[in-house]
């Protein structure tokens, strides 16, 4: 990411200039980041997709919620939407066969077989288990930090115990099937 920032984003203008120029710079940077991952259409699409996500987010932040009451939605809903959009991007990144990729995006959950629904439920539960440490950490930061605000040693102990518990949960819930690190394919 530092290479992309130092040799693409900043030379293209970074955040200098008008807001539209800034958004264009972000979009081009992500497009080139997709190309950097490989000369395959899925990487180009992934770069364009993430560039559009970032540009849309920065545009909504710049507009604020004035006149856009639909944008004033709870933070949990925003996080769930961002999770959905991010996971969609990883499908684009991982699937190198564009025919299969477009097939994935045209599937309907209403036409799935019972076996497909069970598989989807299993994957959903697995994602929930893997993300549980993140949710616990977020809950701790938002709700429990004020309890220890005047007791720094107790706060450090609580944070250490929570981080340890999260690490143990990740170890327990990990997959036992070997899988190659995604960048080994390059």
């Amino acid at each position: 990411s530092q290479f992309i920032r130092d040799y693409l984003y900043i030379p293209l203008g970074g955040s200098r200039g008008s807001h539209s120029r800034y958004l264009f710079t972000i979009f081009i940077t992500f497009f080139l980041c997709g190309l950097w991952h490989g000369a395959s259409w899925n990487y180009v699409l992934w770069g364009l997709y993430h560039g559009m996500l970032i540009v849309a987010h920065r545009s909504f932040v710049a507009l604020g919620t004035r006149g856009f009451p639909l944008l004033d939605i709870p933070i949990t809903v925003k996080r769930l939407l961002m999770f959905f959009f991010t996971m969609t991007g990883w499908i684009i990144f991982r699937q190198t066969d564009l025919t299969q990729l477009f097939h994935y995006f045209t599937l309907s959950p209403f036409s799935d077989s019972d076996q497909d629904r069970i598989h989807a439920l299993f994957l959903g539960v697995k994602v929930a288990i893997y993300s549980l440490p993140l949710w616990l950490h977020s809950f701790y930061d938002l709700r429990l930090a004020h309890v220890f605000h005047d007791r720094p040693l107790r706060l450090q102990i609580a944070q250490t115990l929570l981080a340890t518990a999260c690490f143990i949960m990740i170890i327990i819930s990990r997959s036992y099937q070997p899988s190659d690190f995604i960048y080994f394919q390059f």
Side-chain angles (χ1 to χ4, degrees), residues 133 136 160-170:
L136 287 174
T160 302
L161 290 174
L162 180 66
T164 302
C166 290
F167 180 72
I168 290 169
M169 288 174 61
I170 290 171

Side-chain angles (χ1 to χ4, degrees), residues 90-153:
W90 288 123
I91 291 170
I92 296 169
F93 185 87
R94 186 70 172 165
Q95 184 54 255
T96 56
D97 181 6
L98 288 184
T99 306
Q100 188 66 32
L101 175 66
F102 291 123
H103 174 72
Y104 283 153
F105 290 129
T106 58
L107 292 176
S108 169
F110 304 110
S111 62
D112 287 343
S113 68
D114 288 339
Q115 183 180 2
D116 289 338
R117 286 191 186 104
I118 290 170
H119 185 69
L121 179 64
F122 170 75
L123 290 177
V125 168
K126 196 171 186 177
V127 166
I129 290 170
Y130 275 120
S131 65
L132 190 59
L134 299 173
W135 289 100
L136 287 174
H137 190 296
S138 179
F139 175 77
Y140 172 79
D141 279 350
L142 295 174
R143 303 284 188 255
L144 302 178
H146 73 280
V147 173
F148 299 107
H149 73 282
D150 60 342
R151 302 176 207 135
L153 180 59

Side-chain angles (χ1 to χ4, degrees), residues 122 126 129-130 167-180:
F122 170 75
K126 196 171 186 177
I129 290 170
Y130 275 120
F167 180 72
I168 290 169
M169 288 174 61
I170 290 171
I171 295 296
I172 290 171
S173 64
R174 73 178 176 83
S175 172
Y176 290 99
Q177 295 177 348
S179 60
D180 291 336

